[in-house]
C-alpha cells in the first residue's frame, strides 16, 4: 500500500464542507462513503490513513491555545473559551474518524467475503482437477482393456486359423491312396501275365508248327484263340489304367483342395489378427486422446486454482491493511482525546 501526499479534489471538497458550521454531516458522510468506495482497492488504505492524519492535525490546530507556548492572559483565555462550542471545538472529527473506521471495517468485511469465495473456488477447482485425473485414468484403463481384449481376440483368431490349417493339411497328408497303389500293382501283374501268356503262346504255337500231325487249320485256330485272349488281357489292362488315372486325378484334386483350405485358413487368421489389432490400436488411441484432454483440463483447473489462491492471498493482505487502518484510526482518536485533555488543562491553567 503506497503512501499519498494529498487527497483527491472531490474528497478535499467534502472534508472542507464538513468543517463548515452547520454542515449536514449525515449527507456529507454518505457522499464521502460513496466516493471512497469508488476508489481502487489498493488506494483505500492510504486515503483513510491520510484522512485520519489530516483530521488529527486539524483538530490539534483548532484546539491550540493562542499565545506563546499556549499561554496568554485571562482575557485571551476568556476569548478562546467564548469561541469553544460544538461547532468550533471539532468539525465533528470523531464522526469523520468513525466514518473512516466504518469504511475500513466494510472494506475488511468485503475482502473477507472475497477471500472466502476465492478459497471456495480454489477448492472447487482442485476437486475438478482431481476429477479430471480420475477421468483420465479411467479413459486410459478402458483403452488398455479394449486393446488387450483385441490382442487376445487376435491371438485366438491366429490360433484357430492355425488349428484349422493344420487340420486341413493333416487331412491332405493322411488321404488313403492304398487303392491306387493296389490298382497300379494289379496293372503291373496283369502286364506280367499278358507277357507270360504271349511267350507261352508263342512257344506252344512253335511246338505245334513242328508237329507233323497237327493240321494247319488247328494251328491257325489255336493262334487265333491265343491272340483273342491276349487282346482281351490288353483291353482289361487299358481299362484298369484309365480307371487308375481317373482315381489319381480325383485324389490329387481332393488333396489339393485340402491344402488350399489350409492356406486360406492361415491367411484368414493373419487377416483377422491384423484387423483386431488395428481396431484395438484405434480404440486405444481414441481413449488416450480423451485422457490427454482430461490432463489438459486438469492443468487448466490447477491454473485457475492458483489464480484463486493468489486472489485469496491478496484479499487477505487487504484485510490486514484495513485492520491496520482501524488500529491507526483508534490510535488517532486516542491521541486527539489526549490532546483535548492536555489543551483543556492548559486553558484551565490560563483562566
Amino acid at each position: 500500500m503506497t503512501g499519498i501526499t494529498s487527497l483527491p479534489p472531490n474528497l478535499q471538497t467534502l472534508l472542507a464542507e464538513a468543517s463548515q458550521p452547520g454542515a449536514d454531516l449525515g449527507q456529507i458522510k454518505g457522499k464521502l462513503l460513496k466516493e471512497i468506495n469508488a476508489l481502487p482497492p489498493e488506494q483505500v488504505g492510504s486515503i483513510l490513513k491520510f484522512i485520519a492524519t489530516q483530521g488529527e492535525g486539524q483538530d490539534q490546530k483548532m484546539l491550540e491555545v493562542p499565545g506563546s507556548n499556549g499561554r496568554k492572559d485571562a482575557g485571551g483565555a476568556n476569548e478562546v473559551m467564548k469561541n469553544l462550542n460544538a461547532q468550533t471545538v471539532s468539525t465533528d472529527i470523531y464522526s469523520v474518524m468513525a466514518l473512516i473506521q466504518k469504511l475500513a471495517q466494510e472494506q475488511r468485511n468485503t475482502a473477507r467475503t472475497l477471500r472466502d469465495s476465492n478459497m471456495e473456488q480454489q477448492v472447487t477447482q482442485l476437486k475438478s482437477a482431481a476429477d479430471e485425473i480420475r477421468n483420465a485414468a479411467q479413459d486410459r484403463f478402458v483403452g488398455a482393456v479394449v486393446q488387450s481384449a483385441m490382442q487376445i481376440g487376435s491371438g485366438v483368431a491366429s490360433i484357430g486359423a492355425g488349428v484349422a490349417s493344420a487340420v486341413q493339411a493333416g487331412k491332405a497328408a493322411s488321404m488313403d491312396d492304398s487303392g491306387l497303389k493296389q490298382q497300379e500293382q494289379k496293372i503291373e501283374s496283369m502286364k506280367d501275365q499278358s507277357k507270360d501268356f504271349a511267350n507261352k503262346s508263342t512257344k506252344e504255337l512253335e511246338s505245334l508248327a513242328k508237329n507233323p500231325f497237327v493240321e494247319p487249320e488247328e494251328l491257325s485256330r489255336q493262334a487265333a484263340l491265343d491272340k483273342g485272349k491276349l487282346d482281351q488281357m490288353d483291353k482289361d489292362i487299358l481299362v484298369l489304367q484309365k480307371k487308375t488315372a481317373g482315381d489319381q486325378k480325383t485324389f490329387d484334386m481332393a488333396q489339393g483342395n485340402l491344402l488350399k483350405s489350409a492356406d486360406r485358413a492361415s491367411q484368414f487368421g493373419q487377416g483377422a489378427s491384423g484387423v483386431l489389432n488395428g481396431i484395438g490400436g484405434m480404440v486405444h488411441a481414441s481413449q488416450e486422446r480423451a485422457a490427454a484432454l482430461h490432463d489438459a483440463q486438469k492443468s487448466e483447473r490447477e491454473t485457475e486454482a492458483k489464480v484463486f489462491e493468489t486472489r485469496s492471498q491478496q484479499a487477505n493482505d487487504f484485510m490486514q491493511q484495513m485492520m491496520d487502518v482501524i488500529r491507526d484510526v483508534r490510535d488517532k482518536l486516542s491521541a486527539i482525546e489526549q490532546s483535548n485533555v492536555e489543551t483543556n488543562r492548559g486553558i484551565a491553567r490560563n483562566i
Side-chain angles (χ1 to χ4, degrees), residues 47 151 179 232 247 320:
I47 293 293
Q151 289 176 345
Q232 186 61 44
D247 292 344
Q320 186 60 43

Side-chain angles (χ1 to χ4, degrees), residues 72 164 216 236 259 288:
K72 198 173 176 66
D236 293 339
L259 292 175
E288 184 62 31

Side-chain angles (χ1 to χ4, degrees), residues 276-292:
L276 292 175
N277 284 330
I279 294 174
M282 290 175 62
V283 174
H284 182 265
S286 176
Q287 293 299 116
E288 184 62 31
R289 179 179 180 275

